[in-house]
Amino acid sequence: MHTYNTSRRRIRPAAGIGLTAAALIAVAGCSPDESPGGTTADATSTSGSATTSAPASTAHNEADVEFTSTMIGHHRQAVMMAELVEGRTDNAELIALASTIEKAQDAEIEQMEDRLESWGEPGDDHGDMGHGDMGSRDMGHDGHSAMPGMLTPDQMAALRDARGGEFDRLWLEGMIRHHEGAIAMADAVLADGVNPATKALAQEVKRTQQAEIDQMKGMLGQS
């Protein structure tokens, strides 16, 4: 009897394990529609929704491409203007403002170049242009619309030749016009673009450059 009972006690746990394993196999073998509470089906549905909504953040149209490609060239001239400040003025406020503009717009250029690449679009074609040539071109890549506020070659030459108070006046007046042009470009993409990141950048351009316009007008003694 002892031997029999002992063997029974040893067998029961094994039988329980077998039943548990069988139950797990049965659950694993369920189709998605038969899973408890529809968990698998729900997960599949959620995943499908995420996949469907993902392209919305990268969707873009021609207005987004035009703004991004032309604003790269527009920003590059502002950076060139900022680089002319060194050695031509002792105006501490203007020097600090030029440094701020150069750093901000360099960062935005990189951001826009990365965005064009992610879209599979060609980059802006001003990259190899010298300081004199940049002023002579007011068109974006592939003949896009003119970029408002760009300085002409003569205006850039006059800026390079000026010093002291004359330089300050020409630089501030030129940068005000340049910023006003950027704001007009930002307004256009906010009206016609669809890409969220591009429109967010346009809003940032409007906010920062309008504040800088107000500052520069104050420096010129304008209301």
Side-chain angles (χ1 to χ4, degrees):
M1 292 294 293
H2 272 299
T3 302
Y4 175 79
N5 288 338
T6 301
S7 62
R8 292 280 292 180
R9 282 195 291 269
R10 289 175 181 171
I11 290 170
R12 282 173 184 167
I17 292 170
L19 289 172
T20 303
L24 289 173
I25 292 167
V27 170
C30 287
S31 68
D33 293 337
E34 294 170 349
S35 59
T39 303
T40 306
D42 291 346
T44 303
S45 175
T46 301
S47 176
S49 299
T51 302
T52 302
S53 62
S57 63
T58 56
H60 61 280
N61 63 11
E62 180 59 26
D64 297 311
V65 174
E66 180 171 350
F67 170 84
T68 305
S69 60
T70 56
M71 189 61 85
I72 289 171
H74 202 271
H75 272 22
R76 281 186 178 139
Q77 190 182 67
V79 170
M80 290 177 184
M81 292 173 67
E83 291 172 345
L84 291 176
V85 168
E86 185 176 0
R88 290 179 171 84
T89 181
D90 294 326
N91 187 322
E93 185 177 4
L94 192 152
I95 292 170
L97 175 60
S99 177
T100 297
I101 289 172
E102 182 177 358
K103 290 175 183 176
Q105 298 205 16
D106 264 338
E108 289 175 351
I109 287 170
E110 184 175 351
Q111 177 184 341
M112 290 185 287
E113 287 176 334
D114 289 345
R115 188 164 297 135
L116 285 178
E117 183 178 356
S118 74
W119 291 342
E121 295 286 346
D124 174 81
D125 61 0
H126 293 304
D128 297 328
M129 300 179 105
H131 286 203
D133 292 334
M134 177 61 83
S136 69
R137 290 287 302 275
D138 63 352
M139 299 294 288
H141 84 283
D142 299 332
H144 284 306
S145 60
M147 293 184 285
M150 293 284 283
L151 272 64
T152 66
D154 288 345
Q155 289 170 329
M156 288 294 289
L159 193 57
R160 283 193 297 274
D161 293 341
R163 297 293 186 278
E166 178 67 5
F167 175 84
D168 294 355
R169 181 183 66 80
L170 290 176
W171 192 91
L172 290 167
E173 290 175 350
M175 192 63 83
I176 287 171
R177 289 194 303 274
H178 203 272
H179 275 20
E180 288 172 343
I183 289 173
M185 293 166 70
D187 282 335
V189 79
L190 287 170
D192 301 326
V194 299
N195 182 257
T198 301
K199 297 181 86 166
L201 176 60
Q203 289 284 16
E204 180 65 9
V205 166
K206 289 190 64 175
R207 184 187 68 80
T208 58
Q209 297 202 22
Q210 184 58 59
E212 289 167 354
I213 286 171
D214 295 341
Q215 179 184 354
M216 289 186 287
K217 286 183 174 180
M219 294 168 71
L220 285 169
Q222 300 176 3
S223 56

